[in-house]
Amino acid sequence: MSYSSVPESRALNAASADVAGAGAGGVAAQVGTAAPDVLNPHVPLQTVLRRRRERAAWWQMLFLLVVVLGPMIVYPLFRLLTLSITGEHGLSFAPYQRFFGNSDTGGVIRTTLGILVTSAGLASLLGVAIAALLHFKPFAGAKLLTRFLELFVAFPSFLVAFTLIFLYGTQGSVSIALQQWLHLDSPPLDFLFGTWGVVLAEVVFFAPFVVRPTLASFALLDMRIIEAARSLGANGWMVAMRVVLPLAWPGIAAGTILCFLLTLNEFGILLVLGSARLVTLPVAIFSAATVDLDLNAAAAGAVLMLVLSLSLYMLYRQVNQRHVQRTTR
């Protein structure tokens, strides 16, 4: 190689380095413009990724609020509240006066609360009893029964009402069989279309909603504590009231409150088994909207139902949160 080619090679290498540096600088400038946090050495990569996830979550929340929650929840609730305070001449509480000033409203509220306490109370007791039987006294087919109860909560409520009619109605199979067996002139069972039929249907339908959270609470119990209580001479009732119930009460309370919430808003069973004499708040609201054609009064009653439901739901969330915290410990 000649001496003249050395400076030329050095010049070519310097030019190549300059071009490579300029290209790298341009790429870095572009990347820095697109994602400045990535090139910032003072911002960790995990922080950058977390910020991106937060921005994506905010956009998703905005999309749900505008596209889904807005037309399906926010707007109907706004219209409901607006109707409840709208009179003939603008803003007015006349709808509340018409709905709650009705002479039958007091009886409707008492009927609603009576059916609510009776049905939800009996359903809660039955659900806790079934859960205790499945957990502490397992038997052949207990897992199958648990799976059936989980599937049962997906059934529509009016299906339970029709099932009871087919079994225990005046023309049901059980009622006709008893009539033929006892040689009676009329079917002996005639209680479904009234208060007790509604209570029976709601107890059967809502008891499984209590079973699952109660079973989850029982699964967290330390059986050594129960065995220690039994070894100290405690009988079954004492173990249940002084050991099991204090430890498992969050799950039991959550299932019970959920049962009360669902029973309060039940309409299908009332529509099938409730007679004209059995009028509850959901039936009164439906009647005000469809029979009396008074949407404002119906909206006022619906606001009352909404307040009661949200109160029970907030209580359910608090109790369920305690149950989840106790589960994750």
Side-chain angles (χ1 to χ4, degrees), residues 242-296:
R242 297 187 179 184
V243 179
V244 176
L245 186 59
L247 294 176
W249 77 266
I252 298 175
T256 301
I257 297 172
L258 179 62
C259 182
F260 271 83
L261 176 62
L262 297 175
T263 305
L264 175 65
N265 296 311
E266 176 55 37
F267 184 72
I269 293 175
L270 291 168
L271 193 63
V272 175
L273 297 179
S275 60
R277 297 169 296 176
L278 188 62
V279 180
T280 60
L281 275 176
V283 177
I285 295 170
F286 178 77
S287 178
T290 58
V291 179
D292 301 334
L293 300 179
D294 191 350
L295 293 179
N296 300 92

Side-chain angles (χ1 to χ4, degrees), residues 21-66:
V27 174
Q30 294 177 358
V31 174
T33 304
D37 291 340
V38 176
L39 298 180
N40 191 349
H42 301 289
V43 180
L45 180 60
Q46 295 180 353
T47 303
V48 175
L49 296 177
R50 179 177 57 83
R51 291 176 180 175
R52 290 181 178 179
R53 287 194 298 266
E54 290 177 354
R55 286 194 293 266
W58 277 110
W59 280 109
Q60 293 174 1
M61 181 64 68
L62 183 61
F63 174 79
L64 291 176
L65 181 62
V66 174

Side-chain angles (χ1 to χ4, degrees), residues 19-301:
V19 172
V27 174
Q30 294 177 358
V31 174
T33 304
D37 291 340
V38 176
L39 298 180
N40 191 349
H42 301 289
V43 180
L45 180 60
Q46 295 180 353
T47 303
V48 175
L49 296 177
R50 179 177 57 83
R51 291 176 180 175
R52 290 181 178 179
R53 287 194 298 266
E54 290 177 354
R55 286 194 293 266
W58 277 110
W59 280 109
Q60 293 174 1
M61 181 64 68
L62 183 61
F63 174 79
L64 291 176
L65 181 62
V66 174
V67 178
V68 180
L69 298 180
M72 296 184 63
I73 297 178
V74 178
Y75 176 73
L77 288 179
F78 175 76
R79 287 289 297 161
L80 180 68
L81 295 175
T82 304
L83 282 175
S84 67
I85 56 176
T86 302
E88 297 180 357
H89 305 287
L91 182 64
S92 174
F93 289 96
Y96 289 92
Q97 295 176 357
R98 290 198 303 271
F99 187 84
F100 296 102
N102 193 335
S103 59
D104 298 331
T105 303
V108 169
I109 295 177
R110 287 192 296 270
T111 302
T112 303
L113 294 178
I115 293 178
L116 172 65
V117 173
T118 304
S119 301
L122 292 177
S124 300
L125 292 176
L126 179 61
V128 173
I130 293 175
L133 179 65
L134 292 175
H135 184 77
F136 295 105
K137 300 291 183 181
F139 53 90
K143 292 185 178 180
L144 182 62
L145 178 59
T146 304
R147 297 294 179 268
F148 172 76
L149 292 176
E150 293 177 353
L151 178 64
F152 189 79
V153 299
F155 291 170
S157 58
F158 64 85
L159 181 61
V160 176
F162 282 117
T163 301
L164 293 178
I165 291 175
F166 296 151
L167 289 175
Y168 305 109
T170 54
Q171 300 300 318
S173 57
V174 176
S175 183
I176 294 177
L178 289 176
Q179 180 183 0
Q180 295 176 355
W181 182 46
L182 299 176
H183 304 287
L184 300 175
D185 297 332
S186 60
L189 300 179
D190 187 14
F191 66 94
L192 280 181
F193 295 95
T195 303
W196 293 111
V198 171
V199 169
L200 176 61
E202 290 184 348
V203 168
V204 172
F205 183 70
F206 291 115
F209 288 88
V210 186
V211 173
R212 194 59 189 174
T214 305
L215 280 176
S217 291
F218 288 161
L220 298 175
L221 294 177
D222 190 351
M223 298 303 296
R224 293 174 297 180
I225 300 177
I226 298 176
E227 294 297 332
R230 291 175 178 174
S231 65
L232 294 176
N235 54 25
W237 179 258
M238 293 178 63
V239 170
M241 297 303 296
R242 297 187 179 184
V243 179
V244 176
L245 186 59
L247 294 176
W249 77 266
I252 298 175
T256 301
I257 297 172
L258 179 62
C259 182
F260 271 83
L261 176 62
L262 297 175
T263 305
L264 175 65
N265 296 311
E266 176 55 37
F267 184 72
I269 293 175
L270 291 168
L271 193 63
V272 175
L273 297 179
S275 60
R277 297 169 296 176
L278 188 62
V279 180
T280 60
L281 275 176
V283 177
I285 295 170
F286 178 77
S287 178
T290 58
V291 179
D292 301 334
L293 300 179
D294 191 350
L295 293 179
N296 300 92

